[in-house]
Amino acid sequence: MHLVCLTMFYRSGNDAHFLGSSKSLNHIGFFQRRAVAQFANFGLRTIAQRAEIGRFTAVRDEAVGHYSCVYINAQGLGVGLICDDEYYNYSENGQATMTICHKVLRTYQKESNFDFRVNEDCESGFTDRLSGFLSEFAEPGSADKLGALRKQLDTTTGIVHDNLSKMMRIGEDLDRLVADTDDLNAVSRGFYTQARRANRCNCRR
């Protein structure tokens, strides 16, 4: 699972101005990273220019199996991210990616005192914070606590069911063993009785 990119931008009219960006490309070949970074910026900016204000937008790239997600609030401040299919589908309807977008937005607005428009044509210095978010949310469970708890419960439930099944199988095996032991005891008693009778007959002779 990979969270590849986090980007902040300001939507002005039909254009989106980058405020900061951070990428995690260690899983990509060294000579491919520059092209991937450029493609990520282009893709997110294109989606941001067309996304509906106040609505979370997720677009899947069928060719590479990645999701590009964008959210823009009423003030025009937006967050974009790119993640692979496994990361997005970790939680229902990409809940983890939505949580990340909202948290990054709240943090940026708080630290910039909502005075972000002055930075619309240049990077704001928020890139270091975006790098921190990339590390913090490297695993989707860090963003979607409820989803992580649900998966833990599912895992635990599966283990309990497996253990119950094993115990039932062990119980059936024990029942068969007891039945076989009873049969063996019955055969042994019968053999012992017949042996005694035969021994008595031999003694009389």
Side-chain angles (χ1 to χ4, degrees), residues 14 23 49 66 83 86 90 97-98 100 104 126 151-152 155 167 187 199:
N14 293 324
K23 299 174 181 66
Q49 290 170 341
H66 280 64
C83 63
E86 188 178 3
Y90 175 86
T97 57
M98 286 187 271
I100 292 171
V104 173
F126 196 65
K151 287 186 177 294
Q152 290 177 357
T155 300
M167 291 176 65
V187 172
N199 188 42

PDB file of all heavy atoms in Angstrom, residues 14 23 49 66 83 86 90 97-98 100 104 126 151-152 155 167 187 199:
ATOM      1  N   ASN A  14     -10.881  29.112 -12.689  1.00  0.00           N
ATOM      2  CA  ASN A  14     -10.713  27.781 -13.269  1.00  0.00           C
ATOM      3  C   ASN A  14      -9.274  27.299 -13.185  1.00  0.00           C
ATOM      4  O   ASN A  14      -8.889  26.343 -13.865  1.00  0.00           O
ATOM      5  CB  ASN A  14     -11.159  27.795 -14.739  1.00  0.00           C
ATOM      6  CG  ASN A  14     -12.660  28.016 -14.879  1.00  0.00           C
ATOM      7  OD1 ASN A  14     -13.439  27.534 -14.062  1.00  0.00           O
ATOM      8  ND2 ASN A  14     -13.059  28.749 -15.914  1.00  0.00           N
ATOM      9  N   LYS A  23       6.119  14.161  -2.009  1.00  0.00           N
ATOM     10  CA  LYS A  23       5.905  12.877  -2.668  1.00  0.00           C
ATOM     11  C   LYS A  23       6.774  11.800  -2.031  1.00  0.00           C
ATOM     12  O   LYS A  23       7.872  12.076  -1.559  1.00  0.00           O
ATOM     13  CB  LYS A  23       6.212  12.990  -4.164  1.00  0.00           C
ATOM     14  CG  LYS A  23       5.326  13.993  -4.880  1.00  0.00           C
ATOM     15  CD  LYS A  23       5.748  14.200  -6.317  1.00  0.00           C
ATOM     16  CE  LYS A  23       4.842  15.221  -6.986  1.00  0.00           C
ATOM     17  NZ  LYS A  23       5.007  16.571  -6.387  1.00  0.00           N
ATOM     18  N   GLN A  49      -8.798  21.728 -11.119  1.00  0.00           N
ATOM     19  CA  GLN A  49      -9.399  22.777 -11.940  1.00  0.00           C
ATOM     20  C   GLN A  49     -10.853  22.479 -12.292  1.00  0.00           C
ATOM     21  O   GLN A  49     -11.638  23.387 -12.553  1.00  0.00           O
ATOM     22  CB  GLN A  49      -8.587  22.948 -13.232  1.00  0.00           C
ATOM     23  CG  GLN A  49      -7.213  23.570 -13.016  1.00  0.00           C
ATOM     24  CD  GLN A  49      -6.352  23.513 -14.266  1.00  0.00           C
ATOM     25  OE1 GLN A  49      -6.613  22.718 -15.183  1.00  0.00           O
ATOM     26  NE2 GLN A  49      -5.320  24.341 -14.312  1.00  0.00           N
ATOM     27  N   HIS A  66      -4.041   3.482  -9.799  1.00  0.00           N
ATOM     28  CA  HIS A  66      -3.917   4.480  -8.741  1.00  0.00           C
ATOM     29  C   HIS A  66      -5.146   5.381  -8.729  1.00  0.00           C
ATOM     30  O   HIS A  66      -5.808   5.561  -9.754  1.00  0.00           O
ATOM     31  CB  HIS A  66      -2.667   5.349  -8.940  1.00  0.00           C
ATOM     32  CG  HIS A  66      -1.406   4.709  -8.479  1.00  0.00           C
ATOM     33  ND1 HIS A  66      -0.903   3.569  -9.061  1.00  0.00           N
ATOM     34  CD2 HIS A  66      -0.534   5.044  -7.492  1.00  0.00           C
ATOM     35  CE1 HIS A  66       0.219   3.225  -8.458  1.00  0.00           C
ATOM     36  NE2 HIS A  66       0.464   4.095  -7.502  1.00  0.00           N
ATOM     37  N   CYS A  83      -2.822   7.723  -4.389  1.00  0.00           N
ATOM     38  CA  CYS A  83      -2.523   6.474  -3.686  1.00  0.00           C
ATOM     39  C   CYS A  83      -2.850   5.298  -4.601  1.00  0.00           C
ATOM     40  O   CYS A  83      -3.543   5.463  -5.609  1.00  0.00           O
ATOM     41  CB  CYS A  83      -3.314   6.381  -2.388  1.00  0.00           C
ATOM     42  SG  CYS A  83      -5.116   6.333  -2.623  1.00  0.00           S
ATOM     43  N   GLU A  86      -4.887  -0.483  -3.448  1.00  0.00           N
ATOM     44  CA  GLU A  86      -4.962  -1.175  -2.156  1.00  0.00           C
ATOM     45  C   GLU A  86      -5.159  -0.172  -1.021  1.00  0.00           C
ATOM     46  O   GLU A  86      -5.924  -0.419  -0.092  1.00  0.00           O
ATOM     47  CB  GLU A  86      -3.701  -1.996  -1.928  1.00  0.00           C
ATOM     48  CG  GLU A  86      -3.763  -2.889  -0.708  1.00  0.00           C
ATOM     49  CD  GLU A  86      -2.517  -3.727  -0.529  1.00  0.00           C
ATOM     50  OE1 GLU A  86      -1.570  -3.575  -1.320  1.00  0.00           O
ATOM     51  OE2 GLU A  86      -2.487  -4.539   0.422  1.00  0.00           O
ATOM     52  N   TYR A  90      -8.759   0.232   1.203  1.00  0.00           N
ATOM     53  CA  TYR A  90      -8.595  -0.256   2.573  1.00  0.00           C
ATOM     54  C   TYR A  90      -9.858  -0.004   3.384  1.00  0.00           C
ATOM     55  O   TYR A  90     -10.283  -0.843   4.186  1.00  0.00           O
ATOM     56  CB  TYR A  90      -7.407   0.444   3.228  1.00  0.00           C
ATOM     57  CG  TYR A  90      -7.219   0.110   4.697  1.00  0.00           C
ATOM     58  CD1 TYR A  90      -6.502  -1.018   5.085  1.00  0.00           C
ATOM     59  CD2 TYR A  90      -7.760   0.925   5.682  1.00  0.00           C
ATOM     60  CE1 TYR A  90      -6.333  -1.334   6.418  1.00  0.00           C
ATOM     61  CE2 TYR A  90      -7.598   0.619   7.019  1.00  0.00           C
ATOM     62  CZ  TYR A  90      -6.886  -0.503   7.389  1.00  0.00           C
ATOM     63  OH  TYR A  90      -6.721  -0.804   8.722  1.00  0.00           O
ATOM     64  N   THR A  97      -8.796   8.297   2.674  1.00  0.00           N
ATOM     65  CA  THR A  97      -8.298   9.420   1.863  1.00  0.00           C
ATOM     66  C   THR A  97      -9.084  10.695   2.155  1.00  0.00           C
ATOM     67  O   THR A  97      -8.509  11.788   2.185  1.00  0.00           O
ATOM     68  CB  THR A  97      -8.387   9.075   0.364  1.00  0.00           C
ATOM     69  OG1 THR A  97      -9.736   8.735   0.015  1.00  0.00           O
ATOM     70  CG2 THR A  97      -7.490   7.897   0.035  1.00  0.00           C
ATOM     71  N   MET A  98     -10.381  10.573   2.378  1.00  0.00           N
ATOM     72  CA  MET A  98     -11.182  11.752   2.734  1.00  0.00           C
ATOM     73  C   MET A  98     -10.737  12.326   4.074  1.00  0.00           C
ATOM     74  O   MET A  98     -10.630  13.555   4.241  1.00  0.00           O
ATOM     75  CB  MET A  98     -12.667  11.389   2.780  1.00  0.00           C
ATOM     76  CG  MET A  98     -13.301  11.200   1.418  1.00  0.00           C
ATOM     77  SD  MET A  98     -15.104  10.965   1.493  1.00  0.00           S
ATOM     78  CE  MET A  98     -15.194   9.201   1.680  1.00  0.00           C
ATOM     79  N   ILE A 100      -7.788  12.144   5.425  1.00  0.00           N
ATOM     80  CA  ILE A 100      -6.491  12.804   5.246  1.00  0.00           C
ATOM     81  C   ILE A 100      -6.688  14.200   4.682  1.00  0.00           C
ATOM     82  O   ILE A 100      -6.092  15.174   5.164  1.00  0.00           O
ATOM     83  CB  ILE A 100      -5.595  11.965   4.317  1.00  0.00           C
ATOM     84  CG1 ILE A 100      -5.201  10.652   4.999  1.00  0.00           C
ATOM     85  CG2 ILE A 100      -4.342  12.748   3.922  1.00  0.00           C
ATOM     86  CD1 ILE A 100      -4.504   9.669   4.082  1.00  0.00           C
ATOM     87  N   VAL A 104      -5.506  17.594   6.695  1.00  0.00           N
ATOM     88  CA  VAL A 104      -4.485  18.483   6.129  1.00  0.00           C
ATOM     89  C   VAL A 104      -5.043  19.895   5.963  1.00  0.00           C
ATOM     90  O   VAL A 104      -4.376  20.887   6.280  1.00  0.00           O
ATOM     91  CB  VAL A 104      -3.972  17.933   4.785  1.00  0.00           C
ATOM     92  CG1 VAL A 104      -3.038  18.933   4.114  1.00  0.00           C
ATOM     93  CG2 VAL A 104      -3.242  16.608   4.987  1.00  0.00           C
ATOM     94  N   PHE A 126       4.807  24.940   3.395  1.00  0.00           N
ATOM     95  CA  PHE A 126       4.024  23.904   4.062  1.00  0.00           C
ATOM     96  C   PHE A 126       4.468  22.506   3.638  1.00  0.00           C
ATOM     97  O   PHE A 126       3.976  21.515   4.139  1.00  0.00           O
ATOM     98  CB  PHE A 126       2.545  24.103   3.723  1.00  0.00           C
ATOM     99  CG  PHE A 126       1.603  23.354   4.626  1.00  0.00           C
ATOM    100  CD1 PHE A 126       1.497  23.660   5.974  1.00  0.00           C
ATOM    101  CD2 PHE A 126       0.808  22.330   4.132  1.00  0.00           C
ATOM    102  CE1 PHE A 126       0.629  22.976   6.807  1.00  0.00           C
ATOM    103  CE2 PHE A 126      -0.069  21.633   4.944  1.00  0.00           C
ATOM    104  CZ  PHE A 126      -0.157  21.958   6.290  1.00  0.00           C
ATOM    105  N   LYS A 151     -11.291  -3.971  10.831  1.00  0.00           N
ATOM    106  CA  LYS A 151     -10.462  -5.039  10.282  1.00  0.00           C
ATOM    107  C   LYS A 151      -9.881  -5.907  11.398  1.00  0.00           C
ATOM    108  O   LYS A 151      -9.773  -7.129  11.251  1.00  0.00           O
ATOM    109  CB  LYS A 151      -9.348  -4.446   9.415  1.00  0.00           C
ATOM    110  CG  LYS A 151      -9.839  -3.910   8.082  1.00  0.00           C
ATOM    111  CD  LYS A 151      -8.693  -3.464   7.203  1.00  0.00           C
ATOM    112  CE  LYS A 151      -9.222  -3.002   5.852  1.00  0.00           C
ATOM    113  NZ  LYS A 151      -9.826  -4.115   5.084  1.00  0.00           N
ATOM    114  N   GLN A 152      -9.496  -5.276  12.509  1.00  0.00           N
ATOM    115  CA  GLN A 152      -8.996  -6.050  13.642  1.00  0.00           C
ATOM    116  C   GLN A 152     -10.085  -6.980  14.183  1.00  0.00           C
ATOM    117  O   GLN A 152      -9.820  -8.138  14.524  1.00  0.00           O
ATOM    118  CB  GLN A 152      -8.501  -5.115  14.738  1.00  0.00           C
ATOM    119  CG  GLN A 152      -7.228  -4.372  14.379  1.00  0.00           C
ATOM    120  CD  GLN A 152      -6.793  -3.407  15.460  1.00  0.00           C
ATOM    121  OE1 GLN A 152      -7.477  -3.238  16.475  1.00  0.00           O
ATOM    122  NE2 GLN A 152      -5.668  -2.751  15.253  1.00  0.00           N
ATOM    123  N   THR A 155     -10.539  -9.812  11.807  1.00  0.00           N
ATOM    124  CA  THR A 155      -9.440 -10.772  11.959  1.00  0.00           C
ATOM    125  C   THR A 155      -9.638 -11.619  13.205  1.00  0.00           C
ATOM    126  O   THR A 155      -9.463 -12.846  13.186  1.00  0.00           O
ATOM    127  CB  THR A 155      -8.091 -10.031  12.040  1.00  0.00           C
ATOM    128  OG1 THR A 155      -7.894  -9.270  10.840  1.00  0.00           O
ATOM    129  CG2 THR A 155      -6.942 -11.014  12.202  1.00  0.00           C
ATOM    130  N   MET A 167     -11.683 -26.931  17.634  1.00  0.00           N
ATOM    131  CA  MET A 167     -12.146 -27.574  18.860  1.00  0.00           C
ATOM    132  C   MET A 167     -13.261 -28.577  18.572  1.00  0.00           C
ATOM    133  O   MET A 167     -13.311 -29.660  19.169  1.00  0.00           O
ATOM    134  CB  MET A 167     -12.639 -26.513  19.854  1.00  0.00           C
ATOM    135  CG  MET A 167     -11.519 -25.641  20.430  1.00  0.00           C
ATOM    136  SD  MET A 167     -12.138 -24.334  21.503  1.00  0.00           S
ATOM    137  CE  MET A 167     -12.831 -25.308  22.834  1.00  0.00           C
ATOM    138  N   VAL A 187     -14.647 -56.003  23.131  1.00  0.00           N
ATOM    139  CA  VAL A 187     -13.979 -57.144  22.489  1.00  0.00           C
ATOM    140  C   VAL A 187     -13.039 -57.827  23.468  1.00  0.00           C
ATOM    141  O   VAL A 187     -12.975 -59.071  23.540  1.00  0.00           O
ATOM    142  CB  VAL A 187     -13.221 -56.681  21.232  1.00  0.00           C
ATOM    143  CG1 VAL A 187     -12.355 -57.818  20.678  1.00  0.00           C
ATOM    144  CG2 VAL A 187     -14.189 -56.185  20.166  1.00  0.00           C
ATOM    145  N   ASN A 199     -10.268 -72.344  29.181  1.00  0.00           N
ATOM    146  CA  ASN A 199      -9.306 -72.814  30.173  1.00  0.00           C
ATOM    147  C   ASN A 199      -9.943 -73.803  31.140  1.00  0.00           C
ATOM    148  O   ASN A 199      -9.342 -74.811  31.526  1.00  0.00           O
ATOM    149  CB  ASN A 199      -8.725 -71.617  30.921  1.00  0.00           C
ATOM    150  CG  ASN A 199      -7.583 -72.003  31.840  1.00  0.00           C
ATOM    151  OD1 ASN A 199      -6.734 -72.814  31.443  1.00  0.00           O
ATOM    152  ND2 ASN A 199      -7.561 -71.463  33.045  1.00  0.00           N
TER     153      ASN A 199
END
